[in-house]
Amino acid sequence: MIWREILKKLANSRDWTSSKLLCEKFNISRTAVWKHINYLEEKGFIIDSQPKRGYKLVFPKDTILALDEDSFEGQSFGKDIFHFISIDSTNAYAHQISDKVREGALVLTEQQTAGRGRKGRSWFSPFGKNIYFSIILKPDLNLTVLTRLTIVIGVSVAEALSKFKINVKLKWPNDIMIGHKKVGGILSELYSEGEVARYVILGVGINIHSEGYDFPEELRDIAGSIYSTTGARIDRCRLIIEIIKIFEEKYYSFISKDGDIEDIAKVWDEIAYGKDREIMITTGTGKQKGKIVGLKSDGALLANIDGVLKEIYAGEILI
Ligand code: BTN
């Protein structure tokens, strides 16, 4: 698609890109260039144009559509990429293509119109500001250990963010927190036939540039972005590359250890949200006050509730 090639060229040039250069590079007319630029603008990109100088990408400067297969250096992740300006949900799309793609295929978008959160919730997914992607995995492991992948990717996201000097906490099972604001979440979906997993889709959403006031009112007190909570501006492409790099390494180590996450659980323990105080947990049996003790090596939350150590497999930390 030429519009994506043009967008990539604009994203990778700091300065103006002349219309002449785009015509020559893509072997198209000036009118065709102009039509592609118009298409991008209609979709929400802001592109400055000046007759003598050409075009310049104004928003979003760090468009994730500039990422391509060469951006990822690992063994196999990111070798197949499906890009969208807007899509209902990257997880939903990943589900449609999973049987036909290789392990490590990525679905990336600038916007979701029906972004999915956990527990049937929706995920706030405006254009151009945040990260929304899904990765397709085909692990040949017992079903029971696969839910642990949520922890593996959560720790990978935290580690990747720390490379940008952003320290987050992980709220069990998979919320990415800065202070008391949720800045990201992970939706893992497992498709199996009987006892055999066909594929696992891990969907990652991280609020990067959204301003506090961008969030719908009902989310303002509980959700934030990297920018709104820390003032830092992170390049979304660089962060995705870092997450995939770290996750790929941890994923293959997880596979080689038959799903053991002892090392990862140790890291998780260090950055667990709410460890220092009393928290409220919802479990099958209702709401209970307790203290987080750590993560069991099978991914369960260990909590001290009324002096009794409990393993929690399904539930949520409320505060
Ligand atoms: C949560 O509720 O905390 C999980 C949110 C997961 C959101 C991401 S955004 C990319 C991927 N596609 C979706 O529809 N959801 C996940």
Side-chain angles (χ1 to χ4, degrees), residues 8-45:
K8 252 164 65 181
K9 178 83 192 110
L10 298 188
N12 293 327
S13 344
R14 291 212 178 142
D15 213 348
W16 296 88
T17 304
S18 72
S19 179
K20 184 165 172 276
L21 189 144
L22 295 172
C23 293
E24 285 167 8
K25 189 165 168 60
F26 302 113
N27 202 14
I28 53 176
S29 67
R30 267 172 193 265
T31 319
V33 168
W34 180 82
K35 279 189 182 156
H36 288 298
I37 297 281
N38 251 1
Y39 170 79
L40 289 166
E41 285 182 328
E42 273 165 22
K43 296 290 175 193
F45 290 92

Side-chain angles (χ1 to χ4, degrees), residues 229-291:
T229 55
T230 68
R233 285 283 184 208
I234 291 188
D235 182 289
R236 291 178 300 151
C237 294
R238 287 184 48 220
L239 178 59
I240 293 175
I241 292 171
E242 201 60 47
I243 294 172
I244 297 301
K245 186 170 125 197
I246 295 173
F247 177 61
E248 178 166 6
E249 213 183 294
K250 293 199 192 306
Y251 174 74
Y252 285 119
S253 149
F254 171 83
I255 296 290
S256 70
K257 293 186 205 153
D258 287 333
D260 182 276
I261 53 164
E262 213 176 313
D263 293 355
I264 290 176
K266 276 190 201 131
V267 181
W268 190 92
D269 268 6
E270 281 163 26
I271 53 172
Y273 172 89
K275 248 193 129 177
D276 43 349
R277 60 192 162 82
E278 192 163 66
I279 49 144
M280 184 78 87
I281 311 172
T282 53
T283 60
T285 49
K287 285 186 195 172
Q288 288 168 303
K289 272 189 187 163
K291 277 204 105 179

